[in-house]
């Protein structure tokens, strides 16, 4: 394999990119936290307990949203765990540190240790270079391609959660700063019509990706947070390993979500 092919393969391994099928629409769906891969050198630094659990992962959203390209939606999904780098955090001082602000968290959201061997500063810098920057370069290129084609783009940043709030679906647009009322209303009504209890800007107002890309001319960005029990077996969520997606709750939600995003794509085409 020549160097160009090797680089291309490396970049492909960092994310899954799914081109739209059928009639393309100006929608990009981004899944930054559903990846579970941890390279061996980084895995060796984690505690065994953390490596087994990988808590706060957006479990199986790649499966839940697998039909999106059929609706003309372009999809980018990170393959690597958020504990390799958190793509929804801004690069700034303290790259290594607090779960809620750092690109590389030192502890989990619950304050549990992640590392048995703390990464060095060169290792931290290498992770930003090798995993964070290439992903954002690709996302920015996709957004620009849509702008060139349509003159506008709707970026849907897709996440899931447990705790913090008990609502089923939370939509965040930085309290009206990153999207129009038109966009958030379309998405809100689509979830409500499918029977999901939905709130706006409650705790989840939109992270770095929503805030950063949503300020670009022609771009509207909306974060969509779905509570785990909406699509996963709640009895599995307290176990120290990832839950299964091959459960009745998932199949039921998948059918509803296909209808929801088919409706959204039709409204925004």
């Amino acid at each position: 394999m020549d160097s160009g092919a090797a680089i291309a393969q490396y970049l492909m391994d960092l994310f899954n990119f799914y081109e739209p099928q059928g009639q393309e629409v100006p929608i990009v769906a981004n899944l930054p936290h559903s990846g579970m891969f941890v390279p061996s050198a980084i895995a060796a630094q984690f505690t065994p307990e953390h490596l087994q659990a990988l808590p706060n992962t957006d479990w199986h959203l790649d499966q839940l949203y697998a039909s999106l390209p059929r609706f003309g939606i372009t999809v980018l999904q990170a393959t690597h765990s958020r504990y390799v780098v958190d793509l929804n955090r801004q690069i700034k001082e303290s790259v290594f540190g607090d779960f809620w602000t750092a690109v590389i968290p030192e502890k989990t959201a619950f304050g549990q240790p992640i590392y048995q061997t703390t990464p060095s500063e060169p290792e931290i810098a290498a992770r930003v270079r090798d995993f964070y920057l290439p992903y954002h370069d690709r996302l920015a290129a996709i957004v620009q391609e849509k702008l060139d084609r349509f003159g506008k783009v709707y970026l849907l940043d897709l996440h899931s959660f447990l705790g913090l709030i008990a609502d089923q679906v939370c939509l965040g647009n930085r309290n009206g700063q990153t999207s129009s009322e038109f966009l958030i209303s379309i998405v809100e009504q689509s979830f409500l019509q499918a029977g999901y209890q939905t709130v706006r800007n409650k705790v989840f107002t939109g992270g770095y990706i929503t805030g950063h890309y949503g300020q670009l001319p022609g771009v509207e960005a909306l974060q969509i947070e779905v509570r785990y029990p909406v699509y996963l077996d709640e009895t599995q969520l307290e176990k120290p390993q990832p839950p299964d997606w091959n459960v009745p709750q998932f199949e039921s939600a998948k059918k509803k979500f296909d209808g929801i995003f088919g409706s959204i794509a039709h409204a925004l085409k």
Side-chain angles (χ1 to χ4, degrees):
M1 182 182 296
D2 62 33
S3 60
I7 292 172
Q9 182 62 51
Y10 169 73
L11 291 175
M12 287 174 61
D13 290 342
L14 292 180
F15 44 75
N16 293 321
F17 172 66
Y18 302 100
E19 295 187 11
Q21 303 166 13
Q23 182 181 359
E24 182 181 1
V25 296
I27 303 174
V28 176
N30 179 59
L31 290 79
H33 287 164
S34 62
M36 295 175 60
F37 179 67
V38 181
S40 57
I42 298 173
Q45 297 177 326
F46 287 178
T47 68
E49 295 80 10
H50 182 73
L51 188 61
Q52 178 183 2
L54 294 178
N56 289 101
T57 296
D58 291 350
W59 303 119
H60 309 307
L61 288 191
D62 54 334
Q63 298 293 335
L64 185 65
Y65 292 114
S67 299
L68 264 56
R70 286 202 292 113
F71 308 126
I73 298 172
T74 302
V75 179
L76 186 69
Q77 183 237 344
T79 55
H80 288 58
S81 168
R82 68 183 300 168
Y83 297 104
V84 176
V85 290
D86 192 328
L87 299 163
N88 202 28
R89 302 290 183 261
Q90 181 180 6
I91 294 179
K92 55 185 180 180
E93 288 188 21
S94 299
V95 172
F96 181 75
D98 183 79
F99 176 87
W100 300 106
T101 59
V103 170
I104 300 174
E106 182 178 7
K107 297 181 179 180
T108 69
F110 310 105
Q112 298 300 313
I114 293 173
Y115 291 93
Q116 58 183 353
T117 304
T118 303
S120 66
E121 289 189 9
E123 288 171 331
I124 290 169
R127 283 205 226 170
V128 172
R129 180 195 67 220
D130 295 342
F131 302 110
Y132 183 98
L133 295 179
Y135 189 91
H136 277 282
D137 287 345
R138 187 69 181 102
L139 179 57
I142 293 169
V143 168
Q144 187 60 54
E145 289 166 7
K146 285 288 185 290
L147 284 172
D148 293 342
R149 186 183 303 271
F150 294 99
K152 62 182 177 182
V153 59
Y154 302 106
L155 175 62
L156 305 180
D157 199 42
L158 306 177
H159 298 263
S160 57
F161 72 97
L162 187 69
L164 298 179
I165 58 176
D167 304 280
Q168 290 184 305
V169 178
C170 184
L171 308 178
N173 67 351
R174 294 286 181 95
N175 296 301
Q177 296 181 24
T178 64
S179 84
S180 63
E181 175 63 24
F182 171 73
L183 174 59
I184 196 169
S185 292
I186 289 292
V187 175
E188 180 181 51
Q189 287 304 310
S190 296
F191 275 102
L192 289 172
Q193 289 170 9
Y196 290 113
Q197 184 261 331
T198 306
V199 295
R200 297 186 183 191
N201 293 301
K202 184 178 178 181
V203 177
F204 299 108
T205 61
Y208 169 69
I209 289 171
T210 300
H212 173 71
Y213 292 93
Q215 68 183 346
L216 301 177
V219 180
E220 295 189 36
L222 180 68
Q223 183 166 311
I224 302 176
E225 291 273 358
V226 177
R227 188 172 172 82
Y228 288 161
V230 165
Y231 68 103
L232 297 173
D233 182 346
E234 191 165 11
T235 65
Q236 296 185 9
L237 298 177
E238 298 301 323
K239 296 180 179 179
Q241 67 264 349
D244 188 7
W245 64 270
N246 189 22
V247 293
Q249 295 91 332
F250 183 91
E251 291 302 320
S252 175
K254 177 74 166 59
K255 293 177 182 178
K256 291 184 178 181
F257 273 58
D258 285 354
I260 289 168
F261 280 83
S263 174
I264 291 170
H266 179 75
L268 298 178
K269 66 182 180 181

